[in-house]
Structures are given as structure tokens and as C-alpha cells.
Amino acid sequence: MTDGDSRRDEFEALLEPLLRGLFNAALGYVRDHAEAEDAVQETVLRAYRSFDQWERGTNFRAWVFRILTNYCINRFRSRERGVDAVAFDEVEREAELAGSELVSAATQPDAAVFDGLLGEEVQQALEALPMEFRAVLMLSDVHEYSYREIADILGIPIGTVRSRLFRARRMMRDELAGYARERGVIREGEDG
Amino acid sequence: MADDRLRLAELLSAAVDGELTAGEQETVERLLATDPAAAREHATLLALKAAVRRAAGVQPVPELVLSRVRRGLDAIDAETASEPAPVRRLGWLRPAALFAAVAVVLVVALPGLHRTRAGTPTVAAPAHQARWDLAPANLVMTHRAWHKTFAGQTPPAQSPDEMARRLADKVGYAVAPPDVPRLQAALVGCAACDHTVPGHLTAVFVMERAEHEALSLFQVVAPPAELDASGFREHCPGVQVAEYDGVRLALWSQGDRHVVLAADRASCGELARLVPAAVRLASTPPLQRYARLPR
């Protein structure tokens, strides 16, 4: 067995259990099957080329997810740039305004409302999130990464992970409240 | 006060992730026990988290992805194992392989133009040079196109379906000038390739729309050391050589027929990004639309 063979074997052994998670994460990021396929392929090939740079004993899963996440964010940032700029501003402002109450109860659906919403509507709400917020929400809620791991993957402080998750959820609830009102699950002005 | 409420709201969000410090945990527990609004908010966040997880679902990895990944890893291994070829910066286009590349374009994709250039020599097929195990170094075409171009030579033992599948696997992007009804210039991106491939040249993508639909498109790749800009010009006078972003490009157009792109060093992915700028350099209408080729 050559060095190249053992390198390949080691890489594949580490990668194999992650592929499904990678593909589903990519799908969550880009919301397009073909784009997700491309993202996974690019991620794997980039990881393999850089495999020598991965430090043995560190978290391989987080390392590969970081490659995927960076690829997706960079790939789609330009597409979303205009949206992001607005969204970040709005979120900052909303976060300040929201300080006077724990939740803006008149517009936020409560727990029972989510049962009345379709998965498709939740997916659309996810899709409406700016990429940075979607990434952190997907990594946390779908892939169950810790804040520490998410911080490593995204290269941001843990405090930013926490605040982005908070804001992402706030945005999700706003979006879902709209769907809930459209479908009559909650009425305008009703306390969720 | 507002800051406190905001901090508490953020704590509740972190609580559903189990990411509180011991002190924060105490605060949240106290809050949940005494504040119905906070308790309801907490329940809502838990429900939202579950809804996101449900909506995201879990899908199996498509077999196509797995095969593309395996092929890509094979290509990297082969690339790593091969001797690095010396880069001859000024000799990056040599007539023989270049001629093959251009001829493929002319014969397969532009028969009308081919007729107008009666003096063009017969194609010397580079089949024996083709590396079918190396995506960036392949010449890929359908059986039909192969025989049309290299009549009498035997392509690798693959069925047309297999070749079409291989090709489809390699296709990344097509670029189509929307204002050219009959011809379509396409950049065929190698799906296994998003890196510079020193020692190889990725080239040329032209087809008629009907040919495109039949998947008779092709990708010609040859070592840049075998091609020469002057040779390109000799056999294809419309070609211009331009440098963009450090990559030398050969471009050809005639009227509204845009053909060619060759680069001395660039991955398909890089070429996909360079094409519009490169075409503008050559004063041809910009290629405005990126479209995925049918699979």
C-alpha cells in the first residue's frame, strides 16, 4: 500500500459517515438539489486536497463542515448581498426595539401554531433568512452542533453564534407569523 | 431595562440549545417559574427548533454525487502521482494539439465554416494522447461526434450511453449567448475540477443548438506546451489572445458566431467566471446567461 493509498483510505473512512450530513447541510444552505450536489463535491475535493493541513486529533467533522459552509456562503453571498445588507440592518434595529418586551406577542405565533404550519412553509421561512443566519440555525437545530463547534466552523465568536441564533429565530417567527395569518392559524392582532 | 429584557430573550434562545452557563441556567429556571410569558416563549422556541429540524428532513446522498466524488478523488490521486510538467510560459500553444482542438470545433460544430476553409489540413487525431482516467486531460465527445471527427479510429470501449453519462458527470456550466439563435457557445466545466491544472489547457466549446440537445458537445483539453498562440492564429485567424486576471485566453468569433476559449492555466470553474470578461475583451457580445446543461 502506498502513502497515497493510505491517505485516501484514511480520508474516505473519516468522510463516509459525514456524507449524508454534508449533503443535507448543503441542501439546507442552498435550497437547490443540483447546487447542493455541486457544493458537496467541491467540499469533498477541497478537503481532500487540503487533507494534509487537517490536524489529526481535531474535529474532522467540524473541519469539513467549515469548508462546506464557507463554500456555500461565498458562493451565494454575492447573490444575496443586497438582501443581507438590509436584513442585518433591520435585525439590529428590531433587536433594539424588541428590548421593551420579551416577545412581541401580538405578531409572534406560539408553540401550538407551528403544528398548524406545513414543512414547506418552514422551509420557505428558512430560505428567507440571510445566509449567515440560515447557516447558524441549520448547524444548531438540524445538525446539532454546539455553539463552540459552530463558532469554529463559521470562524466567529461564540457570543455571535448565540446572538445570531436568537435573531434567526426571531426572523423565522416573524416569517412564520405571516404564513399563520395567511392560513388563518392566527388572526391579525391575536396574541399568538 | 430594555437591555435586560433583550438579554433574557437571548438567554431563552440559548436555553433551548442547552448552551447556558450554570449562572444563566439558574436565571432561566427562575424566570420560567415566575413569568408565564417567558415560559410560553421558551415553549415556542422549543417548538420552532423542532419544526426546523422536521422541515429540513434528511435525504440520502444521491448516487450521482458519490460517483462524482469518487471520480474527483481519483483525478486528484492521479494528478498527485504524475510528474509535474514544466510550464513553458511562452510556448503554451503548439500547432499539433492546437490544430486538433480547433479542428474539432470546426468539423463538429461549425461545418459551414469548415467548408469555407477548404485548405484546412485533415485532423490528426490525438486519441492515443487522451487520458480517459484524467478528467482535465480528456477529450470527451459522444460516439457519434468522435466518429465524425476521427473516422476510422477506435474510441475507448464505452457505449454511447456511458460516454454521455461520463460527459454529463463532467459538465458544470454552459454559457449561452442569448442573442445567437443558431449557435451556442458553451463552456463545459469539468465537475471534478475547481482548481488550476498546471500543464493542461482547457479549451473550446461550441455546438449547434441541435447538437447541444443531443449532448454532442465536447471538451478538448491538451497540454499547453503542445499549443502555440501563433498556431492558433494560423489555423483559426479570428482568434485573439488576451490575458485576463493572469490567465491567458484564446478567443475566436466570427460575426455572431462566438467560439472559442482556451486558457493556458485555469480550471473549468475559473473559466466559467472568466468567460464573460474574456468575451468582452474580444469585443464580442457578452455571454450573459449561465445555464446548467441537461443531465
Side-chain angles (χ1 to χ4, degrees):
Chain A
M1 178 181 281
T2 67
D3 288 348
D5 290 337
S6 65
R7 179 178 184 271
R8 170 82 173 259
D9 289 346
E10 181 189 10
F11 180 79
E12 289 188 348
L14 288 164
L15 180 73
E16 196 274 334
L18 305 181
L19 272 174
R20 177 181 287 206
L22 279 174
F23 177 69
N24 282 277
L27 208 49
Y29 290 156
V30 303
R31 316 305 304 170
D32 177 272
H33 221 269
E35 296 277 15
E37 292 175 11
D38 288 349
V40 169
Q41 179 177 339
E42 286 305 320
T43 297
V44 172
L45 299 188
R46 287 179 184 194
Y48 189 49
R49 287 191 192 100
S50 307
F51 190 42
D52 295 334
Q53 295 168 22
W54 173 64
E55 288 180 39
R56 269 58 180 174
T58 60
N59 189 334
F60 182 77
R61 185 170 94 130
W63 184 70
V64 174
F65 267 74
R66 178 161 65 237
I67 295 172
L68 173 74
T69 304
N70 287 338
Y71 172 85
C72 291
I73 287 176
N74 291 333
R75 176 85 173 77
F76 297 95
R77 177 171 280 155
S78 57
R79 184 184 299 176
E80 293 187 338
R81 184 162 287 143
V83 177
D84 275 359
V86 173
F88 271 103
D89 292 346
E90 285 180 348
V91 168
E92 295 289 349
R93 192 165 55 248
E94 184 243 5
E96 289 177 12
L97 293 173
S100 59
E101 54 182 343
L102 197 57
V103 281
S104 110
T107 58
Q108 300 286 359
D110 68 10
V113 168
F114 291 118
D115 294 333
L117 292 172
L118 303 173
E120 185 184 342
E121 291 165 335
V122 179
Q123 284 182 354
Q124 286 172 357
L126 269 172
E127 197 169 339
L129 291 178
M131 187 54 150
E132 282 82 354
F133 290 92
R134 193 189 319 156
V136 82
L137 195 65
M138 293 289 297
L139 289 169
S140 172
D141 289 1
V142 179
H143 303 288
E144 299 181 321
Y145 277 106
S146 70
Y147 286 9
R148 171 79 268 165
E149 288 175 307
I150 296 172
D152 287 344
I153 289 170
L154 297 177
I156 56 179
I158 288 181
T160 305
V161 173
R162 177 189 278 208
S163 64
R164 277 194 194 170
L165 267 170
F166 167 63
R167 293 168 186 184
R169 285 169 177 150
R170 189 59 69 86
M171 284 187 271
M172 283 288 290
R173 291 173 56 169
D174 282 345
E175 192 77 15
L176 291 172
Y179 291 124
R181 274 193 296 274
E182 282 174 17
R183 300 186 56 224
V185 180
I186 58 174
R187 289 187 296 276
E188 193 70 43
E190 182 181 355
D191 183 352
Chain B
M1 180 66 179
D3 284 349
D4 286 346
R5 302 296 289 179
L6 185 59
R7 192 180 70 83
L8 288 176
E10 196 170 304
L11 276 185
L12 289 177
S13 171
V16 303
D17 298 323
E19 292 275 358
L20 299 178
T21 64
E24 290 171 339
Q25 183 70 37
E26 272 184 37
T27 303
V28 166
E29 285 174 3
R30 199 165 48 244
L31 185 67
L32 294 179
T34 58
D35 186 339
R40 192 174 57 192
E41 167 74 353
H42 184 256
T44 300
L45 288 170
L46 283 171
L48 177 61
K49 187 179 176 80
V52 168
R53 188 178 301 150
R54 276 199 309 273
V58 176
Q59 296 193 26
V61 185
E63 182 56 37
L64 177 63
V65 175
L66 299 177
S67 65
R68 285 167 60 184
V69 163
R70 279 192 289 270
R71 226 185 321 277
L73 295 178
D74 289 344
I76 292 173
D77 282 343
E79 185 183 303
T80 305
S82 64
E83 289 288 327
V87 177
R88 290 164 48 188
R89 292 187 64 80
L90 298 178
W92 62 282
L93 297 175
R94 205 164 69 194
L98 165 64
F99 175 68
V102 173
V104 167
V105 173
L106 299 180
V107 172
V108 177
L110 297 174
L113 181 68
H114 179 61
R115 282 194 298 274
T116 67
R117 296 186 53 76
T120 303
T122 307
V123 171
H128 62 285
Q129 299 169 357
R131 292 285 303 275
W132 286 86
D133 56 337
L134 277 179
N138 277 354
L139 187 153
V140 179
M141 50 187 11
T142 65
H143 244 59
R144 187 163 63 90
W146 182 284
H147 284 297
K148 190 174 174 183
T149 308
F150 302 130
Q153 297 220 14
T154 305
Q158 293 179 90
S159 69
D161 285 347
E162 170 67 5
M163 295 183 76
R165 187 187 62 74
R166 284 176 60 93
L167 180 59
D169 282 358
K170 296 153 80 67
V171 166
Y173 302 95
V175 183
D179 54 345
V180 181
R182 198 171 71 80
L183 286 178
Q184 183 171 28
L187 171 60
V188 180
C190 164
C193 170
D194 190 28
H195 65 294
T196 300
V197 187
H200 293 95
L201 176 143
T202 309
V204 181
F205 325 98
V206 180
M207 68 199 93
E208 294 193 11
R209 192 170 298 278
E211 295 274 300
H212 173 197
E213 288 165 359
L215 260 185
S216 293
L217 71 171
F218 49 86
Q219 176 184 19
V220 179
V221 179
E226 295 183 1
L227 301 173
D228 177 271
S230 62
F232 226 140
R233 289 199 188 95
E234 178 186 343
H235 295 293
C236 196
V239 166
Q240 302 174 56
V241 177
E243 183 164 328
Y244 182 81
D245 215 14
V247 178
R248 295 181 71 188
L249 302 163
L251 306 158
W252 177 75
S253 62
Q254 184 180 68
D256 60 358
R257 293 175 175 181
H258 322 287
V259 191
V260 176
L261 183 69
D264 63 343
R265 53 181 182 82
S267 69
C268 302
E270 286 171 318
L271 290 180
R273 294 187 285 276
L274 290 174
V275 167
V279 170
R280 278 195 294 276
L281 279 179
S283 300
T284 57
L287 305 181
Q288 296 170 349
R289 185 167 61 86
Y290 284 64
R292 182 171 296 282
L293 290 175
R295 294 192 170 178

